[in-house]
Structure formats: structure tokens, C-alpha cells
Amino acid sequence: MVKCNTMAEVRREIDRLDRELVRLLAERQGYIEQAGIIKGERSAVRDEARIEEVVQKVLAEADKVNLSRAIAEPLWRLLIEKSIEHEFVVFDEKKRKSANA
């Protein structure tokens, strides 16, 4: 982390991190899309056990790097829900294409 002395410096660093986060989220989305293509049943898209596994892994990592659990847990739960929504879209599109083939 860079030591900042002005709000302009703080904002520049936050903007830099936001760009990096967007790239990482786009990469994560790519894996979500692959999952939507790989899964054979629509019911497999939402996996409650996997959701809790991911959240617990995130919280363990958050503890290691001093990220507040009050930020990490709700943020990841929202990310997971939005990812599941996107995976359903991908899954349904795959099914639609195969039905029309």
C-alpha cells in the first residue's frame, strides 16, 4: 500500500485498484460462464454448499490480510448471487442454442 498525503493521491490509488478489480472480476466472470456451459443440469447452477465454502475461504483470506469481515462477507455474498444470476443466463442460452440446433 502506498502512503498517501493528499486526497488526490488517495483517489488516484483507489482508481488504480478499481481498474485492477474490474479486470479480476472479468476473469472471474469468464470462469462463471465456463461453469454455465459445463454443468449438465440447471439445478446444479445454485450449490448452497459451494456458496458457504467460498464465503468461508474468503473470510479466512480476509482475516489474513486484515480485510474487515463486515466488508468481505456481504460483498462476496452479493458477488456470488450476481454470478449465479449470470450463470443461469449462460446455462439457459446454452440450452436454447442446443434446442434450436
Side-chain angles (χ1 to χ4, degrees), residues 32-33 36-37 86-95:
I32 295 299
E33 290 167 352
I37 293 166
H86 186 66
E87 190 176 334
F88 273 124
V89 169
V90 171
F91 184 89
D92 291 344
E93 180 66 17
K94 171 189 75 171
K95 285 296 188 188

Side-chain angles (χ1 to χ4, degrees), residues 10-25:
V10 168
R11 289 176 179 147
R12 182 186 66 234
E13 292 305 311
I14 289 172
D15 290 347
R16 177 186 62 79
L17 286 170
D18 285 345
R19 288 189 301 274
E20 189 174 336
L21 286 167
V22 167
R23 284 189 294 276
L24 289 169
L25 288 169

Side-chain angles (χ1 to χ4, degrees), residues 31-87:
Y31 290 112
I32 295 299
E33 290 167 352
Q34 288 182 48
I37 293 166
I38 291 169
K39 290 180 181 172
E41 298 294 326
R42 195 173 196 277
S43 62
V45 172
R46 178 180 242 0
D47 181 344
E48 295 297 332
R50 176 64 179 152
I51 292 169
E52 294 311 313
E53 178 186 352
V54 169
V55 170
Q56 291 311 307
K57 287 178 180 182
V58 165
L59 292 177
E61 189 64 24
D63 290 343
K64 289 179 190 174
V65 299
N66 201 31
L67 173 61
S68 167
R69 284 175 165 241
I71 293 172
E73 185 168 0
L75 183 60
W76 252 266
R77 287 193 184 278
L78 178 60
L79 175 60
I80 291 166
E81 287 305 315
K82 293 301 177 183
S83 296
I84 290 169
E85 288 175 16
H86 186 66
E87 190 176 334

